[in-house]
Amino acid sequence: MTYFHFGNLTIPGEWMAAILAIILGSLLNKLLLRRTATDWYWNSFFLYVLVWKSSYILINPKMFLNMPFSAIYFDGGTKGHLLALIIVSIYLLFFAVKKYISIYEESAQMFLFYFFCYEIIINSLEKNIVESFIHLILLLSFLFILISFKKKQKAWIQVFLMVMLIELLMISLFDTLLSLEGLIFSWIGIIVLLLSNRNARRTRN
């Protein structure tokens, strides 16, 4: 893992990539699709980080009680990520959909914007040039397809599935589908498909 030092502050490369990716994802949505990311997008990100970081207290209560400030430097690890995925999924499927109708149209593209930007940034920081370049090509291809199919809802769902399968292939080539990266991508992808399916039923009714 790559770390960056700013005075006495040390920031993991993964954190920096995640922060930059969520900002870039919003900018791409604004510049190319003329849409502003609604609050569900930002809320999901902050909720994920909050649960993931604070899960350290639940998973390591003895260490936290002995050294309370350790919660600043440590997190819940893989278990924390799983707990964060569960909480964010509940938020998206049962709460965000009631307040932000736009989530049905935005979730797929915002998810892919974020993920591609994250992969480009993290692999650039870790000097995995080939993987970073491949994800850049995938992002540019996705943007072209998105602009071409943005008014065709049925075709758009097929495009999303195709992009998901290609990305899962990339993950399997450079890592493994059972990795944390593969798990998070697959999990959120399924949530997006559930939202799309719910939207299709909603529009029919």
Side-chain angles (χ1 to χ4, degrees):
M1 181 184 295
T2 303
Y3 291 89
F4 294 88
H5 302 278
F6 301 92
N8 294 327
L9 181 65
T10 300
I11 300 178
E14 292 180 351
W15 294 16
M16 183 175 293
I19 294 171
L20 292 175
I22 194 170
I23 296 173
L24 287 176
S26 177
L27 289 175
L28 285 174
N29 193 54
K30 178 67 174 179
L31 295 175
L32 298 176
L33 302 179
R34 307 300 179 185
R35 296 177 181 175
T36 301
T38 45
D39 288 345
W40 70 264
Y41 175 69
W42 304 101
N43 291 345
S44 299
F45 178 78
F46 289 118
L47 181 61
Y48 188 101
V49 173
L50 178 63
V51 175
W52 171 58
K53 284 291 291 179
S54 60
S55 64
Y56 165 79
I57 299 174
L58 297 175
I59 297 172
N60 302 284
K62 292 183 179 180
M63 186 175 294
F64 171 72
L65 291 174
N66 291 331
M67 297 182 294
F69 285 104
S70 62
I72 299 175
Y73 304 99
F74 298 101
D75 54 68
T78 300
K79 293 180 181 178
H81 280 291
L82 291 173
L83 182 59
L85 284 171
I86 292 172
I87 298 300
V88 169
S89 298
I90 293 172
Y91 167 73
L92 292 175
L93 293 173
F94 298 101
F95 295 96
V97 291
K98 296 179 180 179
K99 188 174 182 180
Y100 308 104
I101 301 299
S102 61
I103 191 175
Y104 290 115
E105 297 180 358
E106 296 175 345
S107 57
Q109 65 205 38
M110 296 303 296
F111 165 56
L112 291 177
F113 280 165
Y114 168 80
F115 194 83
F116 283 140
C117 288
Y118 174 83
E119 288 297 320
I120 293 169
I121 295 169
I122 189 63
N123 284 295
S124 296
L125 293 175
E126 296 184 351
K127 299 181 180 180
N128 299 325
I129 305 303
V130 174
E131 193 171 351
S132 179
F133 180 74
I134 290 175
H135 280 96
L136 176 60
I137 296 300
L138 288 175
L139 174 61
L140 294 175
S141 302
F142 171 64
L143 291 175
F144 174 78
I145 295 172
L146 177 60
I147 294 173
S148 302
F149 287 89
K150 64 180 179 180
K151 294 183 179 180
K152 301 177 181 179
Q153 186 65 26
K154 292 183 179 179
W156 167 232
I157 298 302
Q158 295 173 356
V159 168
F160 179 76
L161 285 171
M162 179 187 70
V163 174
M164 273 202 66
L165 291 174
I166 293 174
E167 179 55 35
L168 287 173
L169 175 61
M170 292 298 101
I171 293 175
S172 68
L173 289 175
F174 291 100
D175 199 344
T176 170
L177 292 177
L178 299 178
S179 64
L180 181 61
E181 178 185 9
L183 171 64
I184 294 175
F185 182 81
S186 301
W187 188 306
I188 300 298
I190 291 172
I191 297 302
V192 170
L193 290 175
L194 289 174
L195 288 171
S196 299
N197 183 56
R198 184 181 295 183
N199 185 43
R201 296 199 308 268
R202 185 177 64 90
T203 53
R204 283 198 299 266
N205 297 331

